[in-house]
Amino acid sequence: MSFTIAEKNIREAGGDGFAQDLASLKMVIEVRLDQLLPRGGEPSLAARYSLLAPAKRLRAVLTVLAARQCGGAEEAALDVACAVEMVHTASLVFDDLPAMDDADLRRGVPTPHKVYGDDVAILAGIGLLNGAFGVVAQAQSLSPTQRVEVVEVLSRAVGWTGLVQGQALDLAHGEGSIDDIHYGKTGALFVAAALAGAACAGAPVSARAPLVTYGRELGLAYQALDDVLDHVASDGLAGKSTRKDADKRTAVMLGSVPSGGLRAAKSRAERHLEAAAEAASAVCDGSPLVALTEHIRAHFEKVGA
Amino acid sequence: MSFTIAEKNIREAGGDGFAQDLASLKMVIEVRLDQLLPRGGEPSLAARYSLLAPAKRLRAVLTVLAARQCGGAEEAALDVACAVEMVHTASLVFDDLPAMDDADLRRGVPTPHKVYGDDVAILAGIGLLNGAFGVVAQAQSLSPTQRVEVVEVLSRAVGWTGLVQGQALDLAHGEGSIDDIHYGKTGALFVAAALAGAACAGAPVSARAPLVTYGRELGLAYQALDDVLDHVASDGLAGKSTRKDADKRTAVMLGSVPSGGLRAAKSRAERHLEAAAEAASAVCDGSPLVALTEHIRAHFEKVGA
């Protein structure tokens, strides 16, 4: 990423100290992502295309903030945060495929299968998911025990009760409540991002339970707000194909009429944000993770959700 | 797997002690695979369908034999061997997709996308690949350092210079020699299987280089013989869709006429088998891995390659 873009990030973040902090963190994460992904071969080019496209890096930021809140050095959590972002990007690449949600736009650019073909996009997704585990295994600043813990946490988030299940339920393969779907699609990786940060900081076991609650509640809030955004925003503003969820069970469609659905989804998100903030305040010095809930609320307000 | 099938495996293996040993090892691996994969949700059912279909379990066997040859307990290598088999099965699920090789038959049964749909098959592949890392992270009989080493070895085999690259080259996305393609498609995971076994046994660093050579040579031999089989066998005998490679750069198609190509591929395989056996004899007690080269030669002779 060029320094100009980094400066633009920070400038746009405005005067709020936390927002500037996040913008600078995002810059550090993006520089490291660029270093971690090789160049060479179409699959890695397609992976770079998806991974380095403009994005909020929210899950990666969550990992670093969880490490900070648990008293760990942010540098130690950086590669793990990048691994979390790689897992997330892999899930977007897969979910956008024609065989899945068949989306044309993501992160403000055409989806990778539109640019590189379905086969290369699938290989890019595999490479990103697999590469995340490789990055964790090679995270020199962590002990082998910490790396193993992070691998386990990430694998659980992706697996049969995480992203894989969430996407299957979302595609209507099986019965699941809206919370089951949202937890699988989003909450599971938010939980993993928080726990991975705690693992990097060598956090005490007592920190884990509130972090699980925090990740889950923040994920459910985020998904509800994302459903609202999907409903009200244009593709250009959302940076991705919207209204692909018209026939799905989303937070908005739970209501019987669209506007009632929108209001219900917003109040649903609000409840989850409050629960997240409450859980965060129980973890060591709660301030960074509480501030993140405020930041997410503000972000969605800004884009109209 | 039922005990009847296990007995059938062992009976079919005949009087050869090593063959019986492999048959019993295969049985142990299949019982453990069945335990490691949950039931519940369509993606895991599709994954079980692919993973537990009749297969040689060659890569998993290689992991256990490498551990044995390096003086390790086979039990300690069992879960890692299962992880290797899960990675291999994931690669088959992905490679057989309509967007890739578009194959209808694998392991003697219809490919998972034919049975469960493309979307669920992709999720099954993700679950298997991801699950392999989870299994390694939870392998209680290994130290954290050993688990991290195995995660790294597996990730390297799958990644940008391994299976992902091999499949990309095979689909003609980029320039690669026949050895580059075969190494990526097959050799890389054979190398990883051998190194993972060595890691489970806590083998000395001096064992690694010959194991890399062994895995590479055995993989290249196997792929050349598999190309021959693809050319001469029916789908039923091969247990998979054959002649999908008609327009690809295979060992057989290197020759200018089919019969010359077949002879050339067989002699190519022979050279690689000899190189593998030579490398194996340099690792501790070389016998199990040398015997495996003989076993592979005999297997392909039996099925007509």
Side-chain angles (χ1 to χ4, degrees), chain B residues 142-161:
Chain B
L142 304 181
S143 73
T145 303
Q146 286 173 308
R147 292 181 229 177
V148 165
E149 185 177 343
V150 173
V151 169
E152 198 177 345
V153 156
L154 276 185
S155 175
R156 197 177 312 124
V158 174
W160 311 114
T161 57

Side-chain angles (χ1 to χ4, degrees), chain A residues 70-152:
Chain A
C70 295
E74 295 190 3
E75 295 70 26
L78 180 59
D79 282 9
V80 168
C82 289
V84 170
E85 184 65 24
M86 289 165 75
V87 166
H88 173 55
T89 304
S91 78
L92 300 180
V93 172
F94 286 125
D95 291 357
D96 284 341
L97 287 171
M100 302 264 208
D101 294 344
D102 195 15
D104 298 343
L105 190 70
R106 172 71 73 172
R107 293 182 162 175
V109 294
T111 43
H113 64 268
K114 287 278 166 191
V115 180
Y116 292 91
D118 294 5
D119 51 355
V120 173
I122 292 170
L123 292 171
I126 296 170
L128 284 166
L129 173 61
N130 172 73
F133 292 107
V135 164
V136 174
Q138 292 179 65
Q140 301 300 327
S141 54
L142 304 181
S143 72
T145 303
Q146 286 173 307
R147 292 181 228 178
V148 165
E149 186 178 341
V150 173
V151 169
E152 199 177 344

Side-chain angles (χ1 to χ4, degrees), chain A residues 38 99 119 130 134 155 158 160 173, chain B residues 38 99 119 130 133-134 155 158 160 173:
Chain A
D119 51 355
N130 172 73
S155 174
V158 175
W160 311 114
H173 292 292
Chain B
D119 51 356
N130 172 73
F133 291 108
S155 175
V158 174
W160 311 114
H173 293 291

Side-chain angles (χ1 to χ4, degrees), chain A residues 5-26 295 298 302:
Chain A
I5 300 176
E7 278 193 322
K8 183 169 166 288
N9 276 344
I10 296 173
R11 211 167 45 242
E12 281 184 355
D16 171 1
F18 185 70
Q20 289 204 357
D21 185 15
L22 289 195
S24 116
L25 195 51
K26 180 161 133 51
H295 181 76
K302 198 166 131 191

Side-chain angles (χ1 to χ4, degrees), chain B residues 20-81:
Chain B
Q20 290 203 356
D21 185 15
L22 289 196
S24 114
L25 195 50
K26 180 163 134 47
M27 179 183 76
V28 172
I29 289 164
E30 287 174 342
V31 167
R32 187 64 184 143
L33 284 173
D34 182 40
Q35 292 169 344
L36 286 171
L37 212 62
R39 295 161 205 267
E42 277 202 55
S44 79
L45 293 180
R48 292 180 65 84
Y49 170 85
S50 291
L51 187 67
L52 303 177
K56 296 185 287 297
R57 314 296 175 198
L58 183 56
R59 292 153 189 83
V61 162
L62 171 50
T63 296
V64 175
L65 292 185
R68 185 196 292 179
Q69 178 148 334
C70 295
E74 294 189 2
E75 293 71 24
L78 180 58
D79 282 8
V80 168

